[in-house]
Amino acid sequence: MDVTADRDFDDWADILAFHWEAGVDVAIGEVPVDRFAESAAEPSRPRAPAAPARDATAGQAGMAPRSPAPSRNQPAYSSAPATPTLVTQPPDEAVMGAREAARAATSLDELKAILDGFEGCALKRTASRLVFADGNPAAKVMFVGEAPGRDEDQQGLPFVGRSGKLLDLMLAAIGLDRTSAYIANVIPWRPPGNRTPTPQETSVCLPFIARQIELADPDILVCLGGPSAQALLGTTEGITKLRGRFMDYDTGTRTIRAIATFHPAYLLRTPLGKRFAWRDMLAVEALLAGKGGA
Ligand code: URA
């Protein structure tokens, strides 16, 4: 039966409104994909023995304990173009695969390519593209948000929507712009409908952003919002308590200063928070100028 027959303009407008209200706000393909048929067709993968390895991200928030690693013959990532079918992995294996994949990168370009071929995070399925970074990777200060939204997903760049415009103003307030700051997210794929990433999704993405910070090697890390601060600083403290204090962040090769501040999206909803974010930005400015940071 053709369910599209005999529908008029109002029917289509209602269907579109239903999708919008359900959180479907972007079309990511021309033809529908039957994910149930895809996963039914996936062969089950045997578990491989554990592989000993140095682990720069172990012990951070949300990281799972060591568990069997993916087989060497079946990496969780590939530099070949992504196939339409994502590997369905047990959660621990996906995290181990992510750690192994992130460690393999020796430059930011390599990390981006590895992440683009990584098949261990289901968010990749629903996002239109990878949102890796923007700004200057050689900058002294790196800002890390939570996850891309719709505009970022469409453009492939972090913080280009409304909160990005506010972030640009926050940068400008202390004499920075995208040539003097490096910007990324903990999660590099847009969660569908901007939902909160699951702890599992954050755990899988954490080794990549940790490696990205290590390779960019900034002097100062600024976590934008509670989820970013909690994931990167390994704490469950809320942003209101966390913000405004400099802390140590171990990149794996050295210890740098890190500070958390309110997320620009929160500041758009809560303008009263801007006075605190302003103080945090001034603290970053002072540290960049070689003053403060204690
Ligand atoms: N919010 C984020 O945390 N990151 C973006 O890139 C955009 C909005």
Side-chain angles (χ1 to χ4, degrees):
M1 185 179 69
D2 181 4
V3 293
T4 64
D6 300 328
R7 296 215 186 269
D8 63 17
F9 178 84
D10 287 342
D11 290 336
W12 287 115
D14 287 346
I15 291 167
L16 199 57
F18 169 78
H19 280 90
W20 178 266
E21 282 155 18
V24 182
D25 56 4
V26 65
I28 60 167
E30 293 292 322
V31 285
V33 179
D34 185 346
R35 302 290 182 201
F36 294 107
E38 270 184 3
S39 32
E42 275 170 13
S44 61
R45 297 189 319 117
R47 282 182 167 258
R54 188 182 86 82
D55 187 357
T57 57
Q60 294 200 24
M63 300 303 292
R66 285 186 183 282
S67 64
S71 153
R72 296 227 171 273
N73 301 328
Q74 291 172 308
Y77 63 92
S78 143
S79 54
T83 58
T85 307
L86 234 91
V87 174
T88 307
Q89 286 178 306
D92 287 356
E93 269 194 26
V95 174
M96 289 302 291
R99 290 181 190 168
E100 197 176 311
R103 260 198 309 266
T106 59
S107 69
L108 288 167
D109 284 346
E110 261 181 48
L111 185 67
K112 184 176 178 187
I114 287 172
L115 201 44
D116 220 8
F118 183 69
E119 301 295 325
C121 181
L123 289 176
K124 184 177 179 183
R125 268 182 203 196
T126 48
S128 339
R129 52 182 57 75
L130 176 73
V131 177
F132 184 68
D134 195 16
N136 183 352
K140 287 185 174 169
V141 57
M142 177 167 177
F143 291 78
V144 181
E146 182 184 10
R150 190 180 56 143
D151 297 312
E152 290 75 20
D153 180 67
Q154 280 170 359
Q155 295 186 38
L157 291 171
F159 285 100
V160 290
R162 276 187 76 222
S163 43
K165 302 276 172 290
L166 180 54
L167 178 61
D168 286 339
L169 294 176
M170 292 163 71
L171 295 177
I174 57 167
L176 298 176
D177 60 18
R178 292 187 188 224
T179 66
S180 49
Y182 187 52
I183 302 167
N185 283 304
V186 171
I187 309 276
W189 294 283
R190 183 199 184 196
N194 292 348
R195 67 159 170 76
T196 301
T198 65
Q200 161 66 12
E201 287 158 357
T202 301
S203 299
V204 169
C205 294
L206 195 51
F208 292 106
I209 185 63
R211 186 74 174 139
Q212 197 171 348
I213 296 168
E214 183 180 0
L215 290 168
D217 197 27
D219 293 337
I220 307 173
L221 173 68
V222 183
C223 303
L224 295 169
S228 163
Q230 287 161 358
L232 293 175
L233 304 176
T235 174
T236 53
E237 252 190 309
I239 186 65
T240 308
K241 283 204 170 154
L242 263 180
R243 60 145 288 277
R245 283 188 272 138
F246 277 109
M247 287 165 257
D248 283 341
Y249 176 86
D250 184 359
T251 67
T253 48
R254 70 181 180 122
T255 301
I256 62 170
R257 303 302 272 157
I259 190 169
T261 191
F262 289 129
H263 193 286
Y266 170 81
L267 296 175
L268 287 172
R269 297 191 302 272
T270 322
L272 272 179
K274 287 182 185 171
R275 69 183 65 174
F276 299 104
W278 167 238
R279 281 185 210 162
D280 302 339
M281 295 301 283
L282 289 179
V284 171
E285 183 183 37
L287 188 57
L288 278 171
K291 304 169 209 151

